[in-house]
Amino acid sequence: MRFSITRPLAALASIAALVSPVFGEQKLASQALKTCQANSGFSASLFNVVYTPESGRANVDIVAVSTIQGKIIFDVAISAYGYEIITAQVDPCSSGLLGLCPMTAGKIPLNFTLPVDKNALSQIPSIAYNFPDIDAKVRVRINMTDGDEAGQTVACVEAEITNGKTVDLAGVKWATAIVAAFALTSSAFVSGLGHHNAASHVAANALSLFGYFQAQAMLGLTGVPLPPAVMGWTQDFQWSMGIIKVNFMQDIFTWYQRATGGTPSMLFDSLATVSVQVQKRALDVADLGADLARRSMSYMPRTISEPMEQAMKHELLKRGNIQTDTGSYVVYGIQRAAFRASIESTNLFMTSLIFFCVLVVITIICVAGWKGYCELAAQKGWMKHDTFLDFRNGWFTVLKGILFRITLIGFPAMTVMCMWEFTQKDSPAEVVLALMFFLGMLVTLGWAAFKVIRIARRSVVMHQNPAYILFSDPQALNKWGFLYVQFRASAYYFIVPVLGYTILKGLFVAFGQNNGTAQAVGFLIIEAAALIAATVMRPWMDKKTNWFNIAICVMNFINAIFLLMFTEVFNQPPLVTGVIGLILWITNCIFSLVYLLMLICSTIFVFFRENPDNRYQFMADDRTFFMKSQTHLTTTTELDALAATARGDKSGFKGLDLDDDAESMSSDSLRRQTELQPGMPAGGAGLHFTNAPPKSPVDPAMPLFPSEGRNTQGPQYGEKPGMNFDPRAPSPSPYGGPQGGNATLTPQYRALNNASPWQRGAGYEH
């Protein structure tokens, strides 16, 4: 079949028309031409083809490089989602293309406009102009028709098609970011009002959703071949990794890199003269770089060329934008995400780092400003004096806890970017920053996890229940609660596997850029382990939260399977790969929409209920009844200090710090917790038995822990929900004394078991 060259160009442009805005101008375009066979005799450093159906013309701007001499014929094949829909042969001589009949060797600049006839237009389906991120391409094989190579394919080139419509939309990014920020902020606000149960549920769901967004972003940062729809979808969540472009900041990062001994890339400054191939496979990039090195050093002596070739290949794989021998650039993996975000790859690390720092600074300013406003409003009578009183009294501890939580949220992004910077070495100063931030965040979160485990174990020894101190001490809850409040009390340690999961994924993304298959296999193993752990252990606070997080683990595992299939290790037909890309996009889009709507509804309901805590069931770990007001604690400790002064205790009252944060971690400090305090009568509350566990510094019989008139025994540590106990009963006392608000406290029992020194010697024994 004889075919005008305008027809394949129009069809090529039309199939690619799926990426433009829905209400924008209809068009089909291609912006890069890549070779599809070794030693291709035809390539292009610049390739721009745009077809608009309104004008009926295709504008072509090409700077080609040819080593072919003689008459040729083009075999054109156009495919969509791996399915070949149009094939044709084009003779440049009959099409009147000057410079291509016959083809001559050298640099061939072509800039012309081709009219497209109506017959070609009729072959373009209307959906080609509107479907987002269409996966279409045109492949052209150049065959010789005369000379010694007659009938042989001397070149093969391929162009991806786009229509300007994409799922990579600013509206999606803003919507997901605003919902996540709204949920986290609402949880903090509701917690300040005293509704800790509702706040912990909203915060747990918001953190899980944010983690899911970051998992989506990591898919787009891998060096695995991704269909256009998957690339566009994952780009919607790169904001969660700090990949956000601000023009003036990019100028500052470029200046800083130069000032610290680095060489910034200028990829976007050269787009007018060269094309950029958004390479799907990192291994292809390695081959291109190695081929360029071999060609440039082919005339050197072997003793010189071989060591230089190895060093050059390593450097090409290690950093920078790859430039082919035709002059066009290739981006892949993390560089691909940077290019789609219009950020120079050498500025990407600083972009992510600075946005994390900006988030920290904005948080500090907002918390300090809210503290100032609350104090001013209380003084002016704009709000009640007891509103946000817990926050106003302990706002600095609350701020510490919030900063810890932001560190946990930003840890996945900083793990990937800092580790990747070690391979890029954009400048010595940036490498130092990467090392400092990664180690600083790792040590901070590791120390916090160690503190939580230490507090929980101490609570188990003293109260046979880890929830007792974890949730009864406001200092521990406000400072370290970000690590364990989303889990049930007996799974307080689960933050350690979560941190390990984050580090492993980050290492695979950062160090596996040149091997997409290794990344996909690593993701599959990691996500399978996470899914098994979540399904078997169910560590989150209640049934609904467990199912939300298990659903996220299921989606991440399915995405990992799809990612492995994108590497084509199974040699599946291209049509299968294209369909899987659509399935990944559609399923994740539906899941994200449902999860976002559920989070929005649950967050809004919190503000419209008189008591939002009633919406959530009491958790079996009894945490709700261990939580006490900071205001109540402050009042009690002030009375204790006053009583100690009245009795003449020289050491005074040291206050209640159940997590022992100010004490040393040595065994001696733990031993001192159970020794007699000065001023205590012998045989009183300070009695210590060698074989007895250390006693709690707080008596559960005190009003500090409301028992609500019940004498039922609370759940022991290790008991499962559903056993015969009241889930709202207070934690059992380790002293063997009476429990519950109706228990009769004899004077002897008060003297032996009352932990508050101000009640002893002040007439309360009788």
Side-chain angles (χ1 to χ4, degrees):
M1 170 180 174
R2 205 47 83 123
F3 207 71
S4 171
I5 193 172
T6 58
R7 293 187 178 184
L9 282 175
L12 171 64
S14 62
I15 298 293
L18 298 180
V19 187
S20 333
V22 175
F23 298 103
E25 182 185 16
Q26 289 186 334
K27 67 177 181 179
L28 299 170
S30 181
Q31 297 178 340
L33 187 71
K34 58 185 178 181
T35 59
C36 49
Q37 79 172 34
N39 300 319
S40 178
F42 185 88
S43 59
S45 60
L46 177 66
F47 183 81
N48 284 313
V49 178
V50 179
Y51 165 72
T52 54
E54 288 80 3
S55 64
R57 292 178 175 273
N59 297 317
V60 182
D61 186 11
I62 302 175
V63 177
V65 178
S66 173
T67 60
I68 303 171
Q69 289 184 338
K71 292 186 178 181
I72 58 171
I73 193 169
F74 297 121
D75 282 337
V76 181
I78 301 176
S79 61
Y81 297 98
Y83 180 75
E84 198 170 85
I85 56 176
I86 298 177
T87 59
Q89 279 192 342
V90 179
D91 187 350
C93 296
S94 61
S95 301
L97 293 176
L98 299 178
L100 298 179
C101 179
M103 182 172 284
T104 58
K107 194 171 185 178
I108 308 174
L110 299 172
N111 192 338
F112 55 91
T113 300
L114 285 176
V116 181
D117 56 38
K118 295 182 179 180
N119 292 331
L121 289 175
S122 63
Q123 299 185 28
I124 304 174
S126 58
I127 192 176
Y129 300 103
N130 301 312
F131 194 80
D133 287 314
I134 189 171
D135 186 3
K137 63 184 178 182
V138 58
R139 174 171 291 185
V140 180
R141 297 185 183 275
I142 302 176
N143 301 321
M144 297 296 298
T145 58
D146 62 358
D148 298 336
E149 297 179 327
Q152 296 183 11
T153 301
V154 293
C156 177
V157 291
E158 190 175 83
E160 303 287 339
I161 307 302
T162 175
N163 62 2
K165 295 178 175 62
T166 178
V167 296
D168 178 13
L169 301 173
V172 175
K173 300 174 184 179
W174 278 105
T176 52
I178 289 174
V179 170
F182 173 67
L184 289 172
T185 305
S186 299
S187 66
F189 184 84
V190 172
S191 178
L193 292 175
H195 304 297
H196 301 291
N197 193 21
S200 61
H201 279 81
V202 174
N205 293 332
L207 287 175
S208 299
L209 181 65
F210 201 92
Y212 171 70
F213 289 165
Q214 290 179 323
Q216 296 287 291
M218 286 187 183
L219 288 178
L221 297 178
T222 60
V224 175
L226 298 177
V230 179
M231 283 193 290
W233 172 252
T234 56
Q235 197 70 25
D236 283 331
F237 302 99
Q238 296 300 340
W239 63 265
S240 64
M241 305 295 286
I243 302 178
I244 306 170
K245 182 185 179 182
V246 178
N247 290 327
F248 79 91
M249 294 179 69
Q250 297 303 312
D251 296 335
I252 295 175
F253 300 152
T254 300
W255 166 84
Y256 178 79
Q257 189 177 12
R258 283 199 183 103
T260 55
T263 303
S265 63
M266 295 297 174
L267 183 62
F268 291 96
D269 293 339
S270 59
L271 288 181
T273 57
V274 297
S275 297
V276 176
Q277 302 176 23
V278 182
Q279 193 71 23
K280 293 182 178 180
R281 198 166 203 167
L283 291 177
D284 297 338
V285 178
D287 295 338
L288 286 170
D291 182 63
L292 175 61
R294 284 192 295 268
R295 292 187 185 186
S296 62
M297 293 181 292
S298 59
Y299 298 101
M300 296 183 181
R302 175 175 291 184
T303 55
I304 299 177
S305 63
E306 288 185 354
M308 290 186 63
E309 182 178 347
Q310 295 297 324
M312 186 69 173
K313 181 177 179 180
H314 174 72
E315 185 66 21
L316 284 170
L317 293 177
K318 185 181 68 173
R319 69 173 302 269
N321 296 313
I322 307 300
Q323 189 172 21
T324 67
D325 53 350
T326 62
S328 62
Y329 287 94
V330 179
V331 293
Y332 64 95
I334 295 178
Q335 292 180 348
R336 177 180 60 204
F339 178 75
R340 291 179 64 95
S342 301
I343 298 174
E344 296 285 357
S345 61
T346 52
N347 287 346
L348 188 62
F349 164 70
M350 288 299 298
T351 300
S352 181
L353 178 67
I354 293 304
F355 268 100
F356 172 74
C357 296
V358 168
L359 179 62
V360 171
V361 173
I362 291 176
T363 302
I364 295 174
I365 293 174
C366 290
V367 173
W370 182 248
K371 156 70 174 175
Y373 171 78
C374 290
E375 295 295 343
L376 179 63
Q379 292 178 3
K380 297 292 185 179
W382 300 340
M383 68 181 186
K384 297 180 180 179
H385 287 279
D386 59 348
T387 304
F388 292 108
L389 188 58
D390 289 353
F391 167 75
R392 287 154 53 194
N393 289 337
W395 76 276
F396 195 69
T397 301
V398 173
L399 176 60
K400 289 181 182 178
I402 294 175
L403 293 180
F404 275 124
R405 177 161 290 181
I406 291 178
T407 302
L408 181 64
I409 291 174
F411 187 58
M414 288 294 97
T415 299
V416 172
M417 293 302 167
C418 291
M419 291 297 179
W420 183 65
E421 178 60 26
F422 295 155
T423 67
Q424 300 300 290
K425 301 178 182 177
D426 295 321
S427 78
E430 292 187 25
V431 173
V432 172
L433 286 174
L435 181 63
M436 290 176 57
F437 270 81
F438 176 71
L439 291 181
M441 297 177 72
L442 180 62
V443 170
T444 299
L445 293 175
W447 164 249
F450 171 77
K451 283 289 297 183
V452 170
I453 294 174
R454 179 170 172 263
I455 295 170
R457 288 181 176 178
R458 187 162 180 257
S459 181
V460 170
V461 172
M462 300 178 68
H463 307 287
Q464 293 78 50
N465 192 335
Y468 194 94
I469 298 181
L470 288 176
F471 293 97
S472 66
D473 183 9
Q475 296 291 330
L477 185 60
N478 289 330
K479 188 185 296 184
W480 313 114
F482 74 100
L483 287 178
Y484 62 81
V485 72
Q486 65 268 35
F487 305 118
R488 67 174 189 269
S490 58
Y492 58 87
Y493 57 85
F494 202 75
I495 189 61
V496 176
V498 170
L499 293 178
Y501 165 86
T502 302
I503 294 174
L504 283 177
K505 286 191 69 173
L507 291 177
F508 271 99
V509 173
F511 294 132
Q513 288 290 296
N514 301 319
N515 195 331
T517 303
Q519 286 182 321
V521 172
F523 270 47
L524 185 64
I525 295 174
I526 293 171
E527 298 298 351
L531 177 59
I532 293 173
T535 306
V536 174
M537 300 179 64
R538 299 184 183 181
W540 287 275
M541 61 174 70
D542 59 10
K543 184 181 293 184
K544 288 184 179 179
T545 309
N546 271 298
W547 283 116
F548 283 157
N549 285 275
I550 290 173
I552 290 176
C553 291
V554 170
M555 290 302 303
N556 289 339
F557 179 67
I558 294 175
N559 291 337
I561 295 175
F562 290 162
L563 193 68
L564 183 62
M565 298 190 70
F566 293 151
T567 63
E568 299 180 0
V569 294
F570 303 110
N571 295 321
Q572 71 271 15
L575 179 61
V576 175
T577 303
V579 171
I580 289 175
L582 288 178
I583 293 174
L584 186 148
W585 165 46
I586 294 173
T587 53
N588 281 275
C589 182
I590 295 174
F591 181 81
S592 300
L593 179 61
V594 172
Y595 206 136
L596 282 171
L597 292 176
M598 292 176 62
L599 183 61
I600 292 172
C601 293
S602 63
T603 304
I604 292 177
F605 287 159
V606 166
F607 291 98
F608 288 94
R609 284 178 174 265
E610 183 177 352
N611 187 0
D613 286 339
N614 292 337
R615 184 173 182 269
Y616 302 97
Q617 65 181 6
F618 290 103
M619 285 162 280
D621 58 16
D622 216 21
R623 66 176 66 185
T624 304
F625 298 98
F626 290 150
M627 293 180 182
K628 58 179 177 293
S629 169
Q630 179 70 39
T631 308
H632 195 171
L633 178 65
T634 303
T635 304
T636 305
T637 53
E638 287 176 355
L639 290 173
D640 289 339
L642 181 62
T645 303
R647 289 195 311 272
D649 291 349
K650 295 182 180 180
S651 59
F653 181 73
K654 296 183 179 180
L656 294 175
D657 190 6
L658 300 183
D659 74 339
D660 196 26
D661 189 47
E663 291 290 327
S664 168
M665 290 183 296
S666 64
S667 59
D668 182 63
S669 67
L670 294 177
R671 177 182 55 82
R672 288 198 303 269
Q673 297 296 322
T674 59
E675 290 181 349
L676 290 173
Q677 295 186 10
M680 287 187 181
L687 282 176
H688 177 70
F689 299 95
T690 304
N691 296 327
K695 293 186 177 182
S696 170
V698 177
D699 183 2
M702 289 286 293
L704 207 57
F705 303 91
S707 57
E708 301 182 5
R710 294 183 302 271
N711 56 6
T712 55
Q713 191 86 353
Q716 297 288 336
Y717 176 56
E719 289 183 346
K720 297 181 179 179
M723 298 180 68
N724 295 325
F725 65 88
D726 184 355
R728 295 175 294 177
S731 180
S733 171
Y735 308 102
Q739 294 279 328
N742 293 335
T744 303
L745 303 181
T746 64
Q748 293 79 10
Y749 178 78
R750 285 184 180 274
L752 292 175
N753 294 281
N754 208 327
S756 179
W758 68 272
Q759 292 188 359
R760 292 186 299 276
Y764 286 90
E765 294 90 340
H766 305 290

